[in-house]
C-alpha cells in the first residue's frame, strides 16, 4: 500500500483510507462525457449554413437547430437529476451516453429540417440525463478538499471552454468532411465513455424512495419554452405583439405554478430548500447571467468573423482558440489554486468584471477591425474572467449537499447554464437584429450606398447587443459579490459535510 506522499506525487496511484485508485482515470471518463454534452450546444453553429442549404430551412426556422437542443437540455435537467437520484448515477450516466449517441446518429442522417430539429431535441433530453449524473459522480468521488479543487478545476474548464471547443471542431469537420459529422462525431466519443464508465466508475445504489415529479417537469419546461419562444418571436413581430406578450405571460404563469407545486408535490422536482441556501442560489443566478452574455458572444462573433471579415469555417473555429486557452488557464491554474485560500466570491466577482471588460472592448469593433489588435485581447480577457468564475461556481454550488439531493443540485447548476444560453441566444439576437434594421433603414434614407450601409448596420447591431451582454456580466459579478458568502473550503465546512440552510 502506498503512502500518502506517494499518492500526492502520483494522482493515478492509490492513496490511504480506501480511496478509489482509479478515481483520476474516472475523472477522464466523466470529463469526456461532459465535454461532449457542452460542446454540442455550439458545434453545429459553424455548420449551420451548410445544414440550412442541404435541408432547405428558412431563415426563421434555422435557429431551432440550436434552441431545440438547449431548451430540451435546460428544461429537463431537473428531471434528469431526480432520475439520477432514483436509479443510480452510474446507470443513468451510461443510459444518457447511449441515448445521446443514438440521437446524434439520427441527426447526422437527417433528411428534413423536422427530423434534424427532433434529433437535436432528443440529444438535449439525453444530455439532461447525462450531465447531472456526471457532476454527481464527480461530487461523490472527490471529497478531499485539495483533490476536489483539482477535479473541479478540470470540470469547470471543460464547462467553460466546451462551447468554444465546439466551434473549433465544428469548423474542422464542416470544412474537411461535411456538416453531418458535427453530429456523427459524438458516436465514437460516447462508445469510448461507456466502456470507461463500466471499467472505472463506481456508485452507490439509487434512492428508491425518491419519486419523479412529472407535473413539475411539465410546468418548468413549459415555462422555459414559452419565455425563450417569446424572445425569439420578438425579433420578427416586435416586443408589443400580442403573441409575444402572451408567450411571456404564459411563461411567467407556468414558472409561478411550478414554484407553487414544488411546495406541495410529494417528491418535488426541485426541493426549495436547495435554492433557499444563499450560496447555492447565488451560484445558480451567477451562472445563468454569465452564460447569457457568453452564448451571445459566440453567436455574434461567429457571424462577424465569417460574414463580415470573410473567415473560413476552420479559421473561424481557430479564432476561438485563445478564448478556450484563457478559460482553461483561469479555471485550472488560477481558480483551482486560489479557491483553497480565498472566498469563492473573491474569484467570481472579479472574474465577471474582467469578462465584462473584454465585452466592452468588443463594442469598438467595426467592419474593418483587426483580429490581432482588437478582437484577440477581448477574447483573452473574456476567457480569463469566465475561467475564474466557472470553477468556484460548480464547486460551491455542490458542496455540502445531502447525498439524496446531489443529483438534483448538480442538475440545477447545469440548468442555470443551459437556460442562460437559451435566453442569451434569443434575447441578444433579437436586440442585435432590431438595432441593425433600425440603423440600415435610417441610413438608406439619406442616400448612402447599400453596400456600405448593410455591413455597418450589422456590426452596429452586434455592438449594441454586446453592450447589453457586458451589462449582464456586471450584474453577474454583483450577484456573486452580494449573495455568495461562503468561506474558502480550507476554512469552512468540509466538502462532505452538509452546509447549514443559510450562510450569512
Amino acid at each position: 500500500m502506498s503512502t500518502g506522499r506517494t499518492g500526492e506525487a502520483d494522482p493515478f496511484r492509490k492513496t490511504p483510507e480506501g480511496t478509489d485508485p482509479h478515481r483520476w482515470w474516472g475523472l477522464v471518463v466523466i470529463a469526456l462525457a461532459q465535454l461532449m454534452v457542452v460542446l454540442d450546444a455550439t458545434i453545429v453553429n459553424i455548420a449551420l449554413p451548410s445544414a440550412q442549404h442541404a435541408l432547405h430551412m428558412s431563415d426563421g426556422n434555422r435557429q431551432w437547430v440550436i434552441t431545440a437542443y438547449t431548451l430540451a437540455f435546460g428544461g429537463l435537467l431537473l428531471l434528469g437529476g431526480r432520475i439520477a437520484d432514483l436509479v443510480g448515477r452510474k446507470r443513468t450516466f451510461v443510459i444518457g451516453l447511449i441515448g445521446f449517441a443514438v440521437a446524434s446518429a439520427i441527426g447526422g442522417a437527417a433528411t428534413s429540417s423536422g427530423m434534424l430539429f427532433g434529433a437535436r431535441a432528443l440529444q438535449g433530453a439525453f444530455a439532461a440525463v447525462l450531465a447531472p449524473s456526471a457532476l454527481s459522480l464527480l461530487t461523490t468521488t472527490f471529497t478531499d478538499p485539495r483533490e476536489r479543487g483539482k477535479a473541479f478545476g478540470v470540470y469547470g474548464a471543460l464547462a467553460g471552454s466546451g462551447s468554444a471547443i465546439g466551434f473549433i471542431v465544428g469548423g474542422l469537420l464542416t470544412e474537411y468532411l461535411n456538416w453531418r459529422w458535427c453530429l456523427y462525431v459524438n458516436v465514437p466519443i460516447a462508445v469510448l465513455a461507456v466502456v470507461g464508465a463500466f471499467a472505472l466508475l463506481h456508485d452507490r445504489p439509487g434512492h428508491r424512495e425518491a419519486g419523479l415529479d412529472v407535473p413539475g417537469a411539465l410546468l418548468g419546461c413549459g415555462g422555459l419554452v414559452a419565455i425563450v419562444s417569446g424572445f425569439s418571436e420578438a425579433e420578427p413581430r416586435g416586443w408589443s405583439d400580442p403573441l409575444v406578450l402572451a408567450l411571456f405571460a404564459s411563461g411567467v404563469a407556468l414558472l409561478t405554478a411550478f414554484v407553487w407545486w414544488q411546495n406541495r408535490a410529494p417528491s418535488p422536482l426541485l426541493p426549495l430548500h436547495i435554492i433557499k441556501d444563499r450560496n447555492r442560489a447565488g451560484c445558480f443566478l451567477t451562472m445563468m447571467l454569465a452564460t447569457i452574455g457568453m452564448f451571445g458572444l459566440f453567436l455574434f462573433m461567429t457571424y462577424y468573423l465569417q460574414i463580415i471579415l470573410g473567415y473560413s469555417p476552420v479559421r473561424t473555429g481557430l479564432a476561438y482558440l485563445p478564448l478556450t486557452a484563457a478559460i482553461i488557464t483561469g479555471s485550472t491554474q488560477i481558480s483551482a489554486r486560489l479557491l483553497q485560500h480565498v472566498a469563492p466570491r473573491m474569484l467570481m466577482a472579479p472574474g465577471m468584471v474582467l469578462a465584462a471588460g473584454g465585452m466592452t472592448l468588443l463594442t469598438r469593433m467595426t467592419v474593418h477591425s483587426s483580429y490581432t489588435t482588437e478582437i484577440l485581447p477581448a477574447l483573452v480577457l473574456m476567457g480569463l474572467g469566465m475561467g475564474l468564475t466557472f470553477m468556484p461556481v460548480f464547486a460551491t454550488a455542490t458542496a455540502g449537499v445531502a447525498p439524496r439531493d446531489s443529483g438534483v443540485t448538480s442538475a440545477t447548476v447545469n440548468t442555470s447554464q443551459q437556460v442562460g444560453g437559451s435566453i442569451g441566444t434569443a434575447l441578444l439576437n433579437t436586440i442585435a437584429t432590431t438595432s441593425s434594421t433600425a440603423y440600415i433603414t435610417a441610413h438608406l434614407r439619406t442616400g448612402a450606398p447599400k453596400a456600405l450601409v448593410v455591413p455597418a448596420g450589422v456590426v452596429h447591431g452586434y455592438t449594441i447587443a454586446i453592450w447589453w451582454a457586458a451589462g449582464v456580466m456586471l450584474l453577474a459579478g454583483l450577484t456573486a459579490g452580494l449573495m455568495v458568502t461562503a468561506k474558502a473550503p480550507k476554512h469552512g465546512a468540509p466538502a462532505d459535510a452538509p452546509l447549514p440552510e443559510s450562510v450569512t
Side-chain angles (χ1 to χ4, degrees):
M1 184 174 182
S2 61
T3 65
R5 290 180 180 177
T6 303
E8 289 180 7
D10 183 359
F12 289 93
R13 295 184 62 181
K14 185 174 180 180
T15 54
E17 301 177 5
T19 302
D20 182 4
H22 304 301
R23 65 196 182 285
W24 292 102
W25 287 113
L27 173 62
V28 173
V29 175
I30 294 170
L32 188 65
Q34 176 66 15
L35 177 62
M36 181 180 68
V37 167
V38 175
L39 68 81
D40 228 71
T42 57
I43 192 172
V44 300
N45 274 267
I46 295 177
L48 191 52
S50 300
Q52 180 182 0
H53 177 74
L55 301 181
H56 309 291
M57 299 179 211
S58 67
D59 289 344
N61 288 335
R62 66 185 178 186
Q63 66 154 328
W64 287 105
V65 176
I66 310 299
T67 311
Y69 179 82
T70 55
L71 272 179
F73 192 0
L76 296 175
L77 265 168
L78 291 174
L79 185 63
R82 271 304 177 209
I83 292 174
D85 289 335
L86 176 64
V87 178
R89 287 128 200 153
K90 178 179 175 179
R91 184 179 302 173
T92 310
F93 183 78
V94 172
I95 291 171
L97 283 170
I98 295 172
F100 197 90
V102 172
S104 298
I106 294 173
T111 56
S112 67
S113 58
M115 184 176 176
L116 181 58
F117 299 158
R120 290 287 287 167
L122 193 61
Q123 277 186 304
F126 279 107
V129 173
L130 177 59
S133 304
L135 187 52
S136 295
L137 286 168
L138 184 68
T139 302
T140 55
T141 300
F142 295 93
T143 56
D144 177 79
R146 183 175 179 182
E147 289 192 345
R148 184 181 176 89
K150 295 178 181 178
F152 273 93
V154 173
Y155 189 89
L158 290 174
S161 64
S163 297
I165 294 172
F167 284 114
I168 299 171
V169 176
L172 291 169
L173 293 174
T174 300
E175 187 154 331
Y176 294 112
L177 293 173
N178 62 54
W179 68 268
R180 297 181 184 275
W181 279 96
C182 291
L183 295 160
Y184 285 144
V185 70
N186 293 318
V187 177
I189 296 176
V191 170
L192 186 62
V194 167
V195 173
F198 279 119
L200 299 168
L201 298 180
H202 306 282
D203 187 34
R204 309 168 194 168
H207 298 276
R208 296 296 179 181
E209 71 277 9
L212 294 180
D213 180 16
V214 176
L218 294 175
L219 290 170
C221 189
L224 294 175
V225 169
I227 288 176
V228 173
S229 298
F231 284 127
S232 299
E233 291 295 328
E235 186 271 315
R237 296 174 179 271
W239 293 99
S240 60
D241 182 82
L243 176 60
V244 173
L245 296 177
L247 286 169
F248 284 136
S250 299
V252 172
L254 288 170
L255 292 178
T256 301
F258 170 79
V259 174
W260 173 84
W261 173 251
Q262 295 310 286
N263 271 319
R264 291 157 178 79
S267 298
L269 192 65
L270 176 60
L272 295 184
H273 68 265
I274 290 176
I275 58 175
K276 286 179 180 177
D277 178 86
R278 178 172 180 167
N279 290 295
R280 282 194 282 273
C283 287
F284 298 152
L285 188 55
T286 299
M287 174 62 80
M288 186 178 72
L289 293 170
T291 50
I292 285 176
M294 185 178 73
F295 272 67
L297 171 74
F298 291 153
L299 178 68
F300 302 135
M301 289 309 301
T302 298
Y303 279 96
Y304 175 76
L305 292 171
Q306 289 198 60
I307 304 301
I308 303 300
L309 299 186
Y311 281 22
S312 68
V314 169
R315 191 178 179 188
T316 300
L318 293 176
Y320 285 102
L321 196 56
L323 174 70
T324 304
I327 292 175
I328 293 173
T329 300
S331 183
T332 62
Q333 301 303 311
I334 301 177
S335 283
R337 295 174 184 270
L338 294 180
L339 186 59
Q340 297 300 312
H341 308 286
V342 301
R345 64 177 173 181
M346 298 304 294
L347 297 170
M348 294 159 63
M352 285 292 90
V353 173
L354 197 63
M359 283 283 193
T360 303
L361 289 181
L362 284 178
T363 63
R364 302 169 60 188
M365 68 185 186
T366 67
V367 176
H368 305 291
S369 290
S370 165
Y371 174 83
T372 304
T373 59
E374 298 176 67
I375 307 301
L376 178 60
L379 294 181
V380 171
L381 287 178
M382 272 284 299
L384 288 174
M386 299 305 287
L388 281 172
T389 303
F390 276 135
M391 184 268 168
V393 163
F394 279 112
T396 305
T398 57
V401 179
R404 63 173 293 158
D405 287 330
S406 64
V408 70
T409 303
S410 303
T412 308
V413 180
N414 282 283
T415 296
S416 302
Q417 187 176 20
Q418 295 303 317
V419 169
S422 299
I423 293 175
T425 300
L427 171 61
L428 296 177
N429 183 61
T430 295
I431 292 173
T433 305
T434 53
S435 299
S436 295
T437 301
Y439 180 98
I440 292 170
T441 301
H443 284 74
L444 286 179
R445 287 174 181 167
T446 66
K450 185 175 181 179
L452 297 178
V453 170
V454 173
V458 170
V459 175
H460 172 77
Y462 293 165
T463 58
I464 295 298
I466 290 172
W467 272 118
W468 280 85
V472 174
M473 291 284 191
L474 289 176
L475 182 59
L478 183 63
T479 299
L482 294 178
M483 292 187 66
V484 182
T485 57
K487 298 179 181 179
K490 188 175 182 179
H491 305 292
D496 55 349
L499 292 172
E501 283 299 308
S502 62
V503 183
T504 56

